[in-house]
């Protein structure tokens, strides 16, 4: 049996599945609040999710409206999902199955942040709220039921794994982490498990760098000393939220000149892993002799290995999500019906109050028997309440659609809503 979806839900956007880092950067919306402000008059509800690996625009509206809106914003090359397909994608997203690093937990916080932004900008309709709340609940539950998030499950830990693969081992290495936010925390925590000689942590706010360094026994570095410590590091992992590159070609060139040690035959190589979005490192840095630059695009191998190791957990997760999708559709259908019923009851109450007041006026002035007035009142109420249904039944019958006419009468007289359900 296929569920029919009453509300119109659409998700349009791009992700790491079909887009590289340059395309993600070009698609990204630098001013999220401005986008939601533009969407406010176009959709009943709208939400924007932007992470390192995806930009997703969720709206209460149809696919054509969402596509037209994004094209007006200068965006193209996106894929669009509507109705049940959009809800299925949202559940897989929250479960971490659609992530580059399968099972990663950060998506749950990112969904909640996107919801908070929609609330703040008054684009969080009841439907959008229900969608994200349900998705977050399912995301938590799928992790409780399976081991989908067991082990290294973040872009940060994947970056550390990539560094280890590139160097063979991180034992005795010096690592510089640039950024003290959520991603910087994940990177630093992953590094703490390695037998490093030193972890340096720098951040725009020095107090945050100190706090993070203390957690892992590292050294906090002021941001203006970044390139001094770059000369000492074997690996730089950068993950700030800066809107522009902070590791630039000229400064890295200068730092590389300081990396020739007395007993070395040449410059000591430097591995730079940029997992920020937008990028922290100028692309030209990869052209410097002795510098090996890697970006999120280079984590795809780690992602594939990660998925292979979680195939059984993913199968369990998919089965659970299929069950939850059915419940999700039912939840939204029920909510949609509640809105319709609220309108119906308001309409009926308006008629009741109007006719009650007319009857009360007659009781006080006409001198007619109360029984006659009450009888007239009941007749008028029945006539007015059934007027539209009567018209619809006659219209169905006149067009030869007796089945629909019978269904309408049966729904009113028996309250049986089974006739509105359609089997495949």
């Amino acid at each position: 049996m296929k569920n029919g979806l009453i509300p119109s839900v659409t998700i349009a956007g791009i992700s790491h599945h079909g887009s590289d880092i340059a395309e993600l950067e070009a698609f990204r919306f630098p001013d999220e609040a401005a986008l939601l402000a533009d969407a406010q008059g176009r959709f009943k509800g709208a939400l924007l999710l932007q992470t390192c690996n995806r930009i997703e625009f969720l709206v209460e509206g149809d696919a054509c409206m969402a596509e037209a809106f994004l094209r007006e914003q200068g965006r193209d090359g996106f894929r669009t999902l509507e109705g049940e397909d959009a809800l299925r994608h949202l559940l897989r997203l929250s479960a971490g199955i659609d992530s580059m690093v399968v099972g990663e937990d950060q998506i749950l916080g990112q969904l909640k942040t996107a919801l908070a932004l929609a609330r703040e900008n008054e684009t969080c309709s009841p439907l959008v709220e229900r969608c994200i709340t349900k998705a977050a609940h399912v995301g938590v539950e799928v992790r409780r039921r399976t081991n989908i998030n067991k082990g290294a499950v973040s872009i940060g830990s994947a970056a550390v794994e990539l560094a280890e693969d590139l160097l063979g081992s991180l034992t005795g290495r010096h690592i510089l982490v640039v950024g003290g936010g959520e991603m910087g925390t994940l990177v630093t925590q992953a590094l703490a498990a390695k037998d490093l000689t030193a972890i340096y942590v720098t951040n725009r706010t020095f107090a945050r760098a100190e706090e993070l360094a203390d957690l892992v026994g590292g050294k906090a570095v002021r941001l203006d000393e970044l390139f001094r410590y770059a000369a000492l590091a074997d690996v730089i992992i950068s993950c700030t939220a800066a809107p522009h590159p902070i590791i630039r070609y000229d400064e890295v060139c200068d730092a590389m000149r300081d990396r020739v040690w007395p007993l070395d035959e040449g410059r000591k190589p430097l591995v730079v892993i940029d997992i920020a979005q937008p990028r922290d490192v100028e692309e030209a840095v990869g052209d410097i002799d002795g510098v090996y630059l890697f970006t999120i695009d280079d984590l795809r191998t780690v992602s594939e290995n990660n998925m292979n190791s979680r195939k059984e957990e993913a199968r369990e997760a998919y089965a659970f999500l299929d069950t939850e999708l059915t419940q999700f559709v039912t939840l939204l259908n029920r909510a949609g019906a509640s809105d319709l019923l609220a309108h119906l009851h308001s309409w009926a109450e308006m008629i009741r109050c109007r006719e009650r007041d007319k009857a009360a006026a007659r009781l006080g002035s006409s001198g007619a028997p109360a029984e006659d007035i009450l009888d007239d009142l009941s007749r008028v109420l029945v006539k007015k309440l059934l007027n539209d249904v009567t018209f619809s039944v006659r219209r169905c019958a006149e067009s030869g659609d007796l089945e629909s006419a019978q269904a309408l009468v049966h729904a009113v007289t028996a309250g049986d809503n089974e006739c509105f359900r359609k089997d495949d």
Side-chain angles (χ1 to χ4, degrees), residues 155-184:
I155 293 294
S157 57
V160 172
E161 189 174 328
L162 175 62
E164 195 164 31
D165 289 345
L166 293 169
L167 297 176
S169 171
L170 294 182
T171 300
R173 301 290 186 174
H174 293 67
I175 312 290
L176 171 60
V177 179
V178 184
E182 180 183 9
M183 195 67 76

Side-chain angles (χ1 to χ4, degrees), residues 23-147:
E23 291 167 330
L24 286 164
E25 278 187 339
F27 200 94
R28 184 170 298 276
F29 295 95
D31 190 339
E32 297 180 341
L35 176 77
L36 292 177
D38 289 344
Q40 192 172 25
R42 300 278 291 274
F43 305 98
K44 292 181 180 179
L47 176 141
L48 179 64
L49 173 69
Q50 297 197 123
T51 73
C52 294
N53 293 309
R54 67 181 65 252
I55 298 99
E56 307 267 6
F57 184 54
L58 182 152
V59 299
E60 181 176 354
D62 64 41
C64 292
M65 291 171 59
E67 290 168 357
F69 179 78
L70 287 179
R71 290 195 177 99
E72 288 171 14
Q73 300 293 322
R75 304 305 192 273
D76 214 333
F78 50 83
R79 56 98 181 90
T80 306
L81 299 170
E82 190 174 19
E84 193 169 306
D85 290 335
L87 297 181
R88 181 181 294 106
H89 172 70
L90 187 58
L91 293 185
R92 291 181 178 181
L93 189 65
S94 69
I97 292 176
D98 197 64
S99 299
M100 177 176 281
V101 180
V102 176
E104 55 98 358
D105 296 328
Q106 289 67 54
I107 188 62
L108 293 173
Q110 290 160 343
L111 282 168
K112 291 175 183 177
T113 299
L115 181 61
L117 184 67
R119 287 174 181 152
E120 183 181 330
N121 288 275
E122 299 181 347
T123 62
C124 182
S125 67
L127 175 62
V128 169
E129 179 99 31
R130 290 185 194 109
C131 284
I132 302 302
T133 301
K134 174 65 174 178
H137 169 77
V138 171
V140 171
E141 186 64 16
V142 76
R143 287 167 174 80
R144 188 185 71 81
R145 290 169 176 258
T146 71
N147 288 319

Side-chain angles (χ1 to χ4, degrees), residues 298-309:
D298 298 298
L299 297 180
R300 295 182 190 276
T301 300
V302 177
S303 171
E304 290 170 4
N305 294 338
N306 174 272
M307 184 64 200
N308 289 334
S309 68

